Amino acid sequence: MNLKKAFLISFCIVIGVVLISGGLIYKLGHDLYSSVNYVSDDSVAVEETLPEEAEEETDEGVGEVVSDEELAAIQDAMDTSKDVVSDEDIYNVLLIGVDRQDQTWNGNSDCMILVSINKADNRVTMVSLMRDTYVNIPDVGYKKLNAAYAYGGGPLLCETITETFKVEVEKYVAVDFWDLVDIIDIIGGVDLEVTADEAEVANGYIWDMCTRLMDIDPTEHYFPTSGGTVHADGVQAVAYARNRYVGNSDFERTERQRYVLTQLMEEVKDMSLAQMTSAMQSILEYVMTNISETEIWSMVTELPDMLDYDFEMSRVPYDGMYSTIYVNGQDMLVPDWEETLEILHEFIYGTSEDDS
């Protein structure tokens, strides 16, 4: 169930949408924002130990077993000579989908999408950061990227991404996956193009979700076995995006996450102001963020234009630019860091670090 929450992430962007001008008065925006769970960075503690559910070990990994010397070389390669890149015309915010069974710990950030709003070029880039990427988490050590949130919440995850990917990111919006189905239903569902193979796997997830977790009739939510265009409800959209068995495992699953996100944005764009406001009054209580109300309101006048920006999507690691190793009972993805960072910076900033 790790990525059921992936698309709650879309609502992180929707926070901005709901605060657009065009007749939405300050008091209404203030009332909506007050529903959000604001968390200051200094109030988030770093955990020294995690519960057993935080790490899923596999008996047989597909990655290469490396020696201590080889692992040390991999770790040294992470320490590139590149500086952290920032640009006053680009606003970075990390959208986080959190996996946890209860509120006793932070949870793993099993969906991470770095959204960069480029006001100079009128475009928005969305980069999925793979949860299994092998990184050095400050004051914790070498782990999967998704463990950074488990140890220190949004602040530590942002710091880890900044230091690893050399992209300055301080702001985040996080949501728990348990609320995903309801939130998608509040929006009114989403149009999805689903293949027959995807429908078959999704229907297996639907059965599991409905019978084991939700105690509802799964037959009311099954996809047509032939696939096709479906206006998916929350159960269907979640099941579709959980699929890691059609295509290239977790890599194509991140594509499905970004697809659902953009389709949800299309649904929001088609809403009237009254519909949007009503939906957000129900949704925002599920959102946790370190973005202050003052900062959000400073962006208000620009948000209507942002809805018309070009949206571009990507994912790291890039195809053909990573290896997989098996460490401490887990498969880890190791990007070719030098080339990866060049491409990532070009994608977000329109320039490589060497050009800046």
Side-chain angles (χ1 to χ4, degrees):
M1 283 170 291
N2 283 343
L3 290 173
K4 291 192 294 190
K5 56 312 194 264
F7 333 97
L8 286 189
I9 302 311
S10 64
F11 304 96
C12 309
I13 299 177
V14 174
I15 293 174
V17 175
V18 81
L19 293 176
I20 63 174
S21 56
L24 189 59
I25 62 174
Y26 175 85
K27 183 179 185 303
L28 177 56
H30 173 75
D31 290 344
L32 287 173
Y33 182 88
S34 66
S35 300
V36 177
N37 297 305
Y38 172 76
V39 180
S40 62
D41 288 351
D42 58 10
S43 68
V44 181
V46 176
E47 303 292 339
E48 295 185 1
T49 59
L50 300 179
E52 291 184 2
E53 64 181 292
E55 294 191 16
E56 298 177 356
E57 295 190 359
T58 54
D59 294 333
E60 294 184 9
V62 300
E64 178 186 0
V65 178
V66 296
S67 66
D68 291 343
E69 292 76 12
E70 291 171 323
L71 188 60
I74 289 171
Q75 294 170 354
D76 288 342
M78 295 182 193
D79 187 18
T80 71
S81 60
K82 294 185 181 297
D83 296 325
V84 174
V85 181
S86 63
D87 188 318
E88 62 181 10
D89 289 325
I90 296 178
Y91 183 85
N92 294 322
V93 58
L94 183 65
L95 309 182
I96 306 168
V98 181
D99 178 19
R100 58 180 171 183
Q101 302 297 315
D102 56 55
Q103 302 292 319
T104 61
W105 64 301
N106 290 327
N108 288 323
S109 55
D110 279 350
C111 176
M112 293 161 284
I113 300 178
L114 177 59
V115 175
S116 301
I117 303 169
N118 189 323
K119 294 179 285 187
D121 292 342
N122 296 335
R123 68 187 183 104
V124 176
T125 60
M126 293 181 289
V127 182
S128 293
L129 304 176
M130 299 285 287
R131 62 176 186 161
D132 293 339
T133 305
Y134 188 57
V135 300
N136 185 11
I137 302 173
D139 299 320
V140 174
Y142 294 93
K143 302 277 186 179
K144 286 184 177 182
L145 180 59
N146 71 344
Y149 191 90
Y151 279 99
L156 183 58
L157 178 57
C158 286
E159 181 183 0
T160 302
I161 290 172
T162 296
E163 294 302 318
T164 302
F165 297 95
K166 306 302 180 183
V167 174
E168 186 175 60
V169 54
E170 299 177 345
K171 303 302 180 181
Y172 69 90
V173 183
V175 283
D176 279 354
F177 75 84
W178 285 110
D179 304 313
L180 175 59
V181 171
D182 289 339
I183 292 180
I184 292 177
D185 285 340
I186 290 170
I187 291 294
V190 58
D191 289 332
L192 300 176
E193 286 285 347
V194 182
T195 68
D197 288 342
E198 288 173 330
E200 180 181 2
V201 173
N203 286 342
Y205 282 117
I206 288 172
W207 182 89
D208 178 71
M209 292 163 57
C210 291
T211 59
R212 189 169 65 87
L213 299 174
M214 305 176 68
D215 194 24
I216 60 177
D217 183 3
T219 63
E220 297 181 359
H221 302 277
Y222 285 144
F223 283 104
T225 56
S226 59
T229 302
V230 177
H231 188 74
D233 61 20
V235 171
Q236 291 171 315
V238 167
Y240 168 82
R242 289 181 60 194
N243 181 4
R244 63 181 297 176
Y245 298 107
V246 176
N248 188 13
S249 186
D250 211 29
F251 289 87
E252 288 198 23
R253 179 160 57 176
T254 66
E255 292 181 13
R256 295 185 182 97
Q257 295 168 16
R258 296 190 300 272
Y259 175 48
V260 173
L261 187 157
T262 54
Q263 292 299 95
L264 281 169
M265 287 301 298
E266 291 301 316
E267 295 294 329
V268 172
K269 286 181 182 180
D270 290 339
M271 287 182 174
S272 68
L273 186 60
Q275 291 171 327
M276 188 185 301
T277 303
S278 176
M280 295 316 297
Q281 284 175 324
S282 301
I283 289 171
L284 290 182
E285 64 183 88
Y286 303 119
V287 173
M288 183 168 62
T289 184
N290 67 343
I291 303 175
S292 68
E293 181 178 8
T294 300
E295 185 174 359
I296 285 181
W297 276 104
S298 71
M299 301 170 61
V300 165
T301 58
E302 300 171 347
L303 286 171
D305 292 335
M306 291 179 188
L307 291 176
D308 294 325
Y309 283 7
D310 293 329
F311 280 71
E312 302 175 23
M313 297 181 288
S314 186
R315 175 257 300 152
V316 173
Y318 298 113
D319 292 341
M321 293 188 197
Y322 71 96
S323 59
T324 305
I325 61 175
Y326 187 66
V327 180
N328 297 328
Q330 295 181 312
D331 283 325
M332 309 278 192
L333 303 176
V334 181
D336 179 340
W337 287 110
E338 289 288 341
E339 191 171 3
T340 293
L341 296 186
E342 289 288 345
I343 295 173
L344 177 63
H345 294 175
E346 174 71 25
F347 182 64
I348 295 175
Y349 296 100
T351 180
S352 68
E353 191 242 10
D354 292 338
D355 298 329
S356 59

